[in-house]
Amino acid sequence: MQRLYDFLRRHPTGVDSFWAVLLFAFGMLQVAAQAGSTAEGLIAVPAVTALSTAVALRRKWTVPMLWVTVGAGAYQLATGSEPTPANFAMLILLYTVGAADVPRWISRTALGIGLAAPVLSMLRWPLHSATSTGEVVFTLVMLMVLFALAWVMGDSVRTRRAYYAQLVERNQRLEKERAAQAQVAVAAERARIARELHDVVAHNVSVMVVQADGAAYVMDSAPELAKEALQTISGTGRQALAEMRRLLGVLRTGEPEASEDYVPQPDVEQIEVLVEQVRAAGLAVDFEVEGAPRQLPTGVELTAYRIVQEALTNTRKHGGPDARASVRLVYFDDGLGLLVEDDGRGAAHEMYEDGGADGAGHGLIGMRERVGMVGGTLDAGPRPGGGFRISALLPLKKPQP
């Protein structure tokens, strides 16, 4: 049964042609039975043929077939050719026009013509079998209701199809929006991972380079110091590899790799470890904490750590050989304050003037993006008296837009 239904849906014109043939056959049988002469029979043939053809092609050429049907009715009125079963095509065309995607004025015009058809038919061919005027009026009203129902059913189908098409369009639009949001999320995540990689590589490789230069300098005169420097390089390299492996695992699978090389996200407590590591690399750093340390949101802690890490890395890159730095953390009731300064010769002017573009790196750009993600503020620029200053305020809660 389902196969038959699918076949009929795939061949609508064939189905309509089948019904058109039946209407033509019944119409011609009635014409043959009622015709008093050959001439009367021939007069009825064009109307029966036109009405049957309209049914066969009603879905392919809806509006033209409507006018063919109207023309056939007018022809019958003009010639006096009595209605036949083929006139059932008028109901079919009225339903078709109501259901089709045609201008509304055409649909309403078809309804008006359909309501007028019974009246004109009664006037042209009075109901001789009726015994009273009430019976004539009742028959006329029933015919008009029949034509109105045909149009209402078609209009209901059209409304349902439009609603379904709207739902399909909305679903497609939502799918596109979800895909676009997914792409934005992926791009944001990749940007975040790129910032993480930048911080890891810039900091750890910088430490390794400084230690390697120091080891080469004291290799002959102080082997023990050279050995300590090489051990620092080894430990820093392992740490960098572990963090890079974790980040690359996120790129591959979308989740951190569960392995013994997994490294937790750095937090505020590890800033002191970071300072000690930088001191071991040869940069003098003063570290100070004000206020009562407490647990902070993960995003705030990671942002604070990365800001200090990037700031100290920039001091080693741009501050010169005798630069000193200071790191100050201040715990407020509603946030965390960061102040990182150095007294070196400072970075190039374009590093802060153009929003953080420092040649091949994007240190300050990454800082600003990190701070913006947690709803904080960042101020970076030259320090009075020489050097560079980075000041940040990170709120405990991101402000609502």
Side-chain angles (χ1 to χ4, degrees):
M1 182 61 85
Q2 184 62 36
R3 291 182 179 179
L4 176 61
Y5 179 72
D6 293 339
F7 175 81
L8 295 179
R9 290 194 63 182
R10 290 195 302 269
H11 303 85
T13 304
V15 175
D16 292 338
S17 299
F18 170 78
W19 292 114
V21 170
L22 287 183
L23 289 178
F24 181 80
F26 284 114
M28 292 306 298
L29 286 176
Q30 181 172 329
V31 168
Q34 293 180 348
S37 64
T38 305
E40 293 181 2
L42 292 177
I43 291 175
V45 170
V48 174
T49 304
L51 292 171
S52 302
T53 303
V55 171
L57 302 177
R58 66 187 180 94
R59 300 194 217 197
K60 190 173 183 180
W61 296 311
T62 301
V63 176
M65 292 303 104
L66 170 66
W67 302 127
V68 168
T69 304
V70 173
Y75 173 82
Q76 287 180 301
L77 292 173
T79 60
S81 175
E82 295 186 1
T84 66
N87 284 90
F88 189 74
M90 295 181 177
L91 289 174
I92 298 176
L93 262 296
L94 191 58
Y95 165 83
T96 304
V97 172
D101 185 17
V102 299
R104 295 300 291 168
W105 72 269
I106 293 181
S107 180
R108 294 189 178 99
T109 300
L111 174 61
I113 294 174
L115 295 177
V119 178
L120 297 175
S121 178
M122 284 288 189
L123 294 175
R124 186 69 174 84
W125 298 282
L127 193 63
H128 299 291
S129 61
T131 58
S132 63
T133 304
E135 185 176 349
V136 172
V137 173
F138 177 78
T139 303
L140 178 62
V141 170
M142 292 301 298
L143 288 174
M144 294 179 68
V145 169
L146 188 63
F147 275 88
L149 284 177
W151 183 87
V152 169
M153 289 176 58
D155 190 68
S156 176
V157 171
R158 183 195 63 80
T159 302
R160 190 162 55 249
R161 287 174 180 171
Y163 178 70
Y164 177 75
Q166 185 179 9
L167 290 179
V168 171
E169 180 183 1
R170 180 182 178 185
N171 183 57
Q172 292 175 347
R173 185 172 66 254
L174 289 176
E175 288 182 356
K176 292 180 180 179
E177 290 178 357
R178 281 195 295 267
Q181 291 174 357
Q183 292 178 354
V184 171
V186 170
E189 181 65 11
R190 289 182 177 273
R192 184 190 69 80
I193 293 173
R195 290 195 299 269
E196 292 285 323
L197 285 172
H198 170 271
D199 294 339
V200 170
V201 173
H203 172 73
N204 291 292
V205 172
S206 178
V207 171
M208 293 166 65
V209 170
V210 171
Q211 292 289 343
D213 290 342
Y217 182 76
V218 300
M219 181 68 71
D220 297 328
S221 58
E224 291 299 324
L225 293 177
K227 182 178 179 181
E228 292 179 4
L230 292 175
Q231 290 175 347
T232 301
I233 292 174
S234 176
T236 303
R238 287 191 178 92
Q239 180 182 356
L241 285 174
E243 289 199 40
M244 291 178 65
R245 190 175 292 115
R246 172 181 63 82
L247 293 172
L248 292 176
V250 174
L251 281 175
R252 293 191 189 98
T253 64
E255 297 291 339
E257 287 186 336
S259 68
E260 59 184 14
D261 293 326
Y262 174 76
V263 177
Q265 294 277 26
D267 53 23
V268 173
E269 294 182 357
Q270 295 185 25
I271 291 179
E272 186 173 1
V273 178
L274 173 66
V275 170
E276 291 297 332
Q277 185 183 35
V278 173
R279 286 171 179 167
L283 178 64
V285 183
D286 296 328
F287 181 63
E288 181 181 358
V289 178
E290 295 183 11
R294 61 184 181 278
Q295 188 70 28
L296 300 173
T298 304
V300 172
E301 296 210 1
L302 176 61
T303 299
Y305 181 90
R306 292 306 187 194
I307 289 176
V308 174
Q309 184 184 54
E310 180 63 27
L312 295 179
T313 300
N314 287 338
T315 298
R316 286 198 303 270
K317 290 168 60 178
H318 306 290
D322 299 324
R324 293 179 59 87
S326 64
V327 178
R328 184 181 177 188
L329 303 182
V330 183
Y331 287 89
F332 299 106
D333 293 336
D334 57 351
L336 176 68
L338 290 174
L339 179 63
V340 184
E341 297 180 303
D342 67 72
D343 59 359
R345 60 176 178 244
H349 181 70
E350 61 270 14
M351 180 177 178
Y352 54 86
E353 179 70 17
D354 296 336
D358 57 344
H362 300 275
L364 286 181
I365 291 178
M367 285 189 198
R368 295 184 191 280
E369 291 180 356
R370 286 184 182 279
V371 172
M373 288 176 63
V374 298
T377 58
L378 177 73
D379 183 26
R383 174 174 170 267
F388 205 77
R389 170 188 291 164
I390 294 176
S391 175
L393 179 60
L394 309 177
L396 296 183
K397 294 183 179 179
K398 185 175 181 179
Q400 296 296 326

